[in-house]
Each structure stands twice: as structure tokens, then as C-alpha cells.
Amino acid sequence: MSKQIAIVGLGLIGGSIAMALQGFEDYEIVGVDVSQPTLRFAAEHHVADRVTDDAAGAIAQAEVVFLCLHPQGIVDFLQRHRDGFKPGALVTDVCGVKTAIVRAARVLPPEVDFIGGHPMAGTEFSGVQNALKDMFRGAHYIMVPDESSDPDKVALLERMAVYMGCRDVVRTTPEQHDAIIAYTSQMMHVIAVSVCDDPKLFEFMGFEGDSFRGCTRVAALDVPLWTQLFSLNAPQLDQALERLEQNINAYRQVLRSGDRKALAEKLEWSASRKRQMNRHEQEVQA
Amino acid sequence: MSKQIAIVGLGLIGGSIAMALQGFEDYEIVGVDVSQPTLRFAAEHHVADRVTDDAAGAIAQAEVVFLCLHPQGIVDFLQRHRDGFKPGALVTDVCGVKTAIVRAARVLPPEVDFIGGHPMAGTEFSGVQNALKDMFRGAHYIMVPDESSDPDKVALLERMAVYMGCRDVVRTTPEQHDAIIAYTSQMMHVIAVSVCDDPKLFEFMGFEGDSFRGCTRVAALDVPLWTQLFSLNAPQLDQALERLEQNINAYRQVLRSGDRKALAEKLEWSASRKRQMNRHEQEVQA
């Protein structure tokens, strides 16, 4: 019998992982969900090698378990199935906050290795019907092992991330992850929804270009998911937003001053930071 | 002899228009620039049917002139060549502000028809080497004719926009254009540079996903161009940024309150506005 990877929760991310991991080494990919329409869709579209609604049965057999539920769903699942994982298994998750999840995983027995993860990919859509085999191509895969993590399990998670097409695997701590993600991801979502809150939004349709589309794409977000992600990281997100407000305000000051030279210098400073970042990205990808 | 369209300024936008207009009706496309390397590149890559550094000669022959310079460059060109356009010509521009340009175009004699334009397309790059034939595919083309504009010229500009691949042509006034663009375009650029001003930018590299890339792409902007665009529209831009600050602040309030239900309701409100906008776009494109 082949080894098994159970993907619990065949939503946008779980479905995409199941698709991306097919053929990985000698593992069979088992998709788990509570929704019969989701399982039917997944079976018909071969999202996984096999699908089931029997979570307990699947995780009892699996060498690797990916928890791809909403944050509270992961916390609840870990609590309910704490003694149901196969001894020696690697259990991981894909949640956009890590401190709360790693804390919740402390309920697991010592013979199960939990390593939190966060593939930095997604779209503004949700559900298995929007899953993509190539979702992770070029994405960063963040993982938060700790000193007790089995190096073989860390290496296995890295190989899976590479197999999915990720550009690199970045290691950090749960606390550092949450501080960073407040800025690089959560803040982008608050910006997008705040732009769409403008009373002129509909009046001004027909005048948007790609800068508008790029900034607001993620505003059509999965509300229950992002409510949880924001709430579980609210102080960090608030700090990132405070820095943003200060930076926007500095632009407003120089705009109001009418000093074109100062505006040009300020824009040059910001633009050169972005160009430096682009160069770094190109070097990493080259 | 065929009719001529002169494209003055073979930068990112001018070069793209020259490429996109080739084959339009019975017009020859004449590219005009002061830079010999630009003209050489344009000739080698067939950016236009013909290129020249003789602006005066080109506009004296052209039935249509596109001014594709930076805002101040357009103002200066109109002043210098006010009596040099072919009588009966359509003169237009592609500048991201319209009030200042339309005002500057009042120097033209009555036998020349100036209709301001703004194709809502571009990239964060500049120069003819980054021009793209498909730059305008799916873009809005905004024009600001007035009551004195010749309907035949308006129709000609519309046909050219459609030929370039634009999804639609939107008519408005210069003042309304500038108020709207402050929000849909200029504000997106201030957001992008403000995000890149964060002191944590480089420290947090490796943790960015597509939401970050989408929001900050335009931060690597053409500094002299955007200094002029922002300066020529500063009060409108400042107002748009003030509304944004209020909307971000409203999110900070509810985040700090810890009221998850209120946060979910607020997110649902914003996300539904974006979804409504997406549906409208799909209907327009269908």
C-alpha cells in the first residue's frame, strides 16, 4: 500500500494543493471534505487521487496531513482529532496566521509532528471549482518549524513545496510571520476594501486602469476567512496600517506644499525602493 | 499621397499607439521624436511606418496629431507649434491630466480641432523599447470633446480607439476627468509608493504574494512624469487621499474594537461593492 497525503478541506487552497501534489514521490493524494457537492466535483475533475468524507479514517492512515480549513476550523479540527493522527505523521496547515494555529497544535501528542505553513498564493475566489494546479508556481512557501521539529519532516515539507512549483521555502517563527504578513498581505486587503468603500466608486466606473484593478482585485474577498485572519492578528495589522497612514500623509503634505522639487525627490526615493525590490526578485528567479 | 497620423513622442504610450494604429484606414503612421536612439529603435522595430526628427514638417502634413509627451512637454509643444498644424487637422493628446492641457490648447487657431484624450493603459516601464502593440486591449479610452468639437473628428478619434483595441470610449469634461482620475489612477500610485516607503520593506521581502505585487507594481514609476501629473491635479488628489484615510481609519476602529461581527459586516459591505463592480465589468465585456 502506498503512503498517503490527506488534504483536509478541498477549498481553493486545499483543492489546488491536492492537484499540485499528484504524482509526488510514492504518495497517494486523498481529498477530504464534508460537502458532498465538493467531493463530487473533486472526484469528477480528479482534484485528488481519491476523495472521502471520512476525515477520521483518512488522517488515521496518512503519513502527511494538510489542514486547509479556515483558521477556526483548523483549531477545532486539531482539538477534535488530537488523538486520531497516525503516529509519526507530519501535520501541517496553510493558514494565513501562524501564532494562533501553532498554539492550537500543542494539543497534539508528541509522536505527531506539527509544522505550520503558509503558501503565499491564492486568488480572490474561493471553492474547489476555482482551484488551480499551478496556484503555487513562483510563490513563496513560508514554514514555521521549531526546535523540536524532525529535520526529515521539515525536508519532506520542503520537497512538497518545491514539487508544487513554489519558488522558495522561507523559514521563520510564528510571531515574525504574523508581524510580516500584517504588512505584506493583510494590509493589501484592507487597502483594497478601503478603496472600494469610496463613495465615488460606482460613479467613477469606466475610468479605471490596471493600477486600479491591481490594487482592488483582492477586495472581493472571502469574508468569513478574512474576518478571522484580521481578528487573529489585529494589533499587528493595526500597526502596519498606522505606518501606512503616516506614509500617505507625508505625500499629502508635500502635495499641499506645492514644492515640485520636494515631490520629485520623494517619488524618486519611493520608486527606487520598488526598483531595488524588483531587481532582487529578478536575481532570485534567475 | 496617403493621409498621415503623426505621433509626437515615441515613448511607452506614443510608441504603443504608433504600433497599434498601423493599418488604420488609409493613414500612414509617422513617428516623431527628438532622440536619435529612439528613432533608430523605432525604425528597426517598425514601430511606425516612417520616423523623423522633423516635428514641424510632420505636423504640417498630418491630418491627425497625437501629442504623447509629458504634460509640460505638451504645453510647450502647443505653444511653439501653434501655427504649424495643418488646417483642418485633429490634434489630440494622451496625457493623464486634462484641465491643464485643454487650457493650453486654447492657443491653437480655430481651424485646428483639439480634442483631449486619455487612454487608460500603461505599464510601470517607460520608453519605446517597452511599447506594446496590445497596450490598449481592453482599456477605457477617455476623451473630452467640447461643444465646438467637430463631430467627424470625434468619430475619427473613436474609430482609432476601437482600432487600437480599447474596450470602450468614455466621454467627459476635463474637470470631471481630473476629479475621477485623482481617485482611479493617481491615488493608486500614491498608495503604491506609500506602501514601499514602509521601513520594513526590505526586511519583509520573501513574504509577498500577488496582493502585494498587484498593489505595488506601479510604484516603480516615471518620476518626472508623475511629479507633473500629481502637481497639476494636487487638490483633487489630496481630496481622494483624505477619503482613503477616513476609510482605512474606519477599518482600524473596528479592528481595535475586537467586534468580529461588526468587522464581518463591514468586510461584506466592501467586498459586495467590489463584486458588483466585477459583475458590471463582465457584463460590459460580454
Side-chain angles (χ1 to χ4, degrees):
Chain A
M1 214 175 88
S2 68
K3 292 186 284 187
Q4 294 181 17
I5 299 174
I7 315 287
V8 179
L10 292 175
L12 179 75
I13 299 300
S16 297
I17 290 178
M19 291 163 84
L21 278 181
Q22 286 177 43
F24 174 71
E25 297 181 0
D26 51 347
Y27 287 89
E28 183 187 32
I29 311 300
V30 182
V32 181
D33 208 282
V34 293
S35 154
Q36 292 304 324
T38 294
L39 291 172
R40 215 154 37 231
F41 182 97
E44 280 165 13
H45 294 80
H46 199 67
V47 168
D49 295 320
R50 183 161 64 79
V51 300
T52 175
D53 63 358
D54 177 16
I59 67 167
Q61 303 290 327
E63 277 73 18
V64 179
V65 178
F66 277 86
L67 300 178
C68 306
L69 307 165
H70 282 197
Q72 192 58 48
I74 295 175
V75 171
D76 295 345
F77 192 95
L78 286 166
Q79 188 66 41
R80 185 175 320 131
H81 295 279
R82 55 198 294 176
D83 299 315
F85 294 96
K86 184 170 183 170
L90 163 63
V91 180
T92 186
D93 77 310
V94 297
C95 180
V97 291
K98 294 271 65 80
T99 311
I101 300 297
V102 168
R103 193 181 304 129
R106 293 197 192 126
V107 298
L108 296 177
E111 63 271 22
V112 171
D113 215 331
F114 184 88
I115 303 176
H118 182 195
M120 294 290 296
T123 71
E124 68 276 30
F125 305 111
S126 57
V128 70
Q129 65 280 7
N130 291 306
L132 298 168
K133 187 182 188 328
D134 285 336
M135 181 73 80
F136 308 101
R137 195 149 303 281
H140 302 297
Y141 202 108
I142 305 171
M143 65 163 81
V144 292
D146 62 28
E147 60 283 1
S148 75
S149 300
D150 175 358
D152 288 345
K153 301 288 192 328
V154 172
L156 172 59
L157 187 50
E158 284 205 357
R159 289 202 305 284
M160 291 191 286
V162 169
Y163 187 81
M164 284 187 228
C166 291
R167 85 164 73 176
D168 55 20
V169 177
V170 182
R171 296 191 200 186
T172 186
T173 64
E175 296 73 22
Q176 181 71 353
H177 168 277
D178 289 356
I180 296 176
I181 239 60
Y183 167 66
T184 62
S185 170
Q186 297 191 329
M187 189 171 93
M188 302 304 124
H189 289 74
V190 175
I191 290 171
V193 289
S194 296
V195 166
C196 290
D197 281 354
D198 196 291
K200 307 276 193 177
L201 176 70
F202 296 113
E203 195 182 324
F204 288 178
M205 272 197 294
F207 295 80
E208 69 286 359
D210 283 339
S211 60
F212 189 89
R213 293 184 196 103
C215 178
T216 62
R217 180 182 59 84
V218 294
L221 44 72
D222 179 334
V223 172
L225 172 63
W226 286 93
T227 301
Q228 291 185 29
L229 292 172
F230 287 167
S231 298
L232 289 167
N233 206 28
Q236 304 272 23
L237 176 55
D238 190 52
Q239 281 171 33
L241 288 169
E242 186 173 16
R243 301 198 303 270
L244 176 69
E245 276 189 9
Q246 287 163 358
N247 288 326
I248 290 176
N249 220 279
Y251 265 105
R252 290 186 67 195
Q253 298 292 338
V254 70
L255 273 172
R256 278 198 296 253
S257 76
D259 184 341
R260 285 199 188 196
K261 188 160 166 289
L263 175 59
E265 282 170 7
K266 189 162 171 50
L267 282 172
E268 182 53 42
W269 194 78
S270 309
S272 70
R273 288 167 68 83
K274 176 63 178 172
R275 285 188 218 112
Q276 185 178 338
M277 195 174 175
N278 289 347
R279 277 194 303 275
H280 177 82
E281 284 230 326
Q282 280 159 4
E283 282 162 22
V284 170
Q285 287 188 285
Chain B
M1 212 175 88
S2 67
K3 293 186 284 186
Q4 294 180 17
I5 298 174
I7 315 288
V8 179
L10 292 176
L12 179 75
I13 300 299
S16 298
I17 289 178
M19 292 163 84
L21 277 181
Q22 284 178 44
F24 174 71
E25 298 180 1
D26 50 348
Y27 287 90
E28 184 188 32
I29 310 301
V30 181
V32 181
D33 207 282
V34 293
S35 154
Q36 292 303 322
T38 294
L39 291 172
R40 215 156 34 234
F41 182 97
E44 281 166 10
H45 293 80
H46 199 69
V47 168
D49 294 321
R50 183 161 64 80
V51 300
T52 176
D53 63 358
D54 177 16
I59 67 167
Q61 303 289 327
E63 277 74 18
V64 179
V65 179
F66 277 86
L67 300 177
C68 306
L69 307 164
H70 283 198
Q72 191 59 47
I74 295 175
V75 171
D76 295 345
F77 192 95
L78 287 166
Q79 187 67 41
R80 185 176 318 130
H81 295 278
R82 54 198 294 175
D83 299 315
F85 294 95
K86 183 171 184 169
L90 162 63
V91 180
T92 186
D93 77 310
V94 297
C95 179
V97 291
K98 294 270 66 78
T99 310
I101 301 296
V102 168
R103 194 182 301 128
R106 293 198 193 126
V107 298
L108 296 178
E111 62 271 22
V112 171
D113 215 331
F114 183 88
I115 303 176
H118 181 196
M120 294 290 297
T123 71
E124 68 276 30
F125 306 112
S126 57
V128 70
Q129 65 280 6
N130 291 305
L132 298 168
K133 188 184 188 325
D134 286 336
M135 181 73 81
F136 308 101
R137 195 147 305 280
H140 303 296
Y141 202 108
I142 305 171
M143 64 163 80
V144 292
D146 62 28
E147 59 283 2
S148 75
S149 301
D150 175 358
D152 289 346
K153 301 290 193 325
V154 173
L156 172 60
L157 187 50
E158 284 205 358
R159 290 203 304 284
M160 291 189 287
V162 169
Y163 187 81
M164 285 186 228
C166 292
R167 85 164 74 175
D168 55 20
V169 177
V170 182
R171 296 190 199 185
T172 186
T173 64
E175 296 74 22
Q176 181 70 354
H177 169 276
D178 290 356
I180 295 176
I181 238 62
Y183 166 67
T184 61
S185 170
Q186 298 191 329
M187 188 171 95
M188 302 305 124
H189 290 73
V190 175
I191 290 171
V193 289
S194 297
V195 166
C196 290
D197 282 353
D198 196 292
K200 307 276 194 178
L201 176 71
F202 297 114
E203 194 183 325
F204 288 177
M205 272 198 294
F207 294 80
E208 68 286 0
D210 282 339
S211 60
F212 189 90
R213 293 184 196 105
C215 178
T216 62
R217 178 182 60 84
V218 294
L221 44 72
D222 178 335
V223 172
L225 172 62
W226 286 94
T227 301
Q228 291 186 29
L229 291 173
F230 287 167
S231 298
L232 289 167
N233 206 27
Q236 304 273 23
L237 176 53
D238 190 53
Q239 282 171 32
L241 288 169
E242 186 173 16
R243 300 199 304 270
L244 176 67
E245 276 189 10
Q246 287 162 358
N247 288 326
I248 290 176
N249 220 278
Y251 265 106
R252 290 186 67 195
Q253 297 293 339
V254 70
L255 274 172
R256 278 199 295 253
S257 77
D259 184 341
R260 285 198 188 196
K261 188 160 167 289
L263 175 58
E265 282 170 6
K266 189 162 170 51
L267 283 171
E268 181 53 42
W269 194 77
S270 309
S272 70
R273 287 166 69 83
K274 177 62 178 173
R275 284 187 220 113
Q276 184 178 340
M277 195 174 174
N278 288 349
R279 276 195 302 276
H280 176 83
E281 285 231 325
Q282 281 160 3
E283 282 162 21
V284 169
Q285 287 188 284

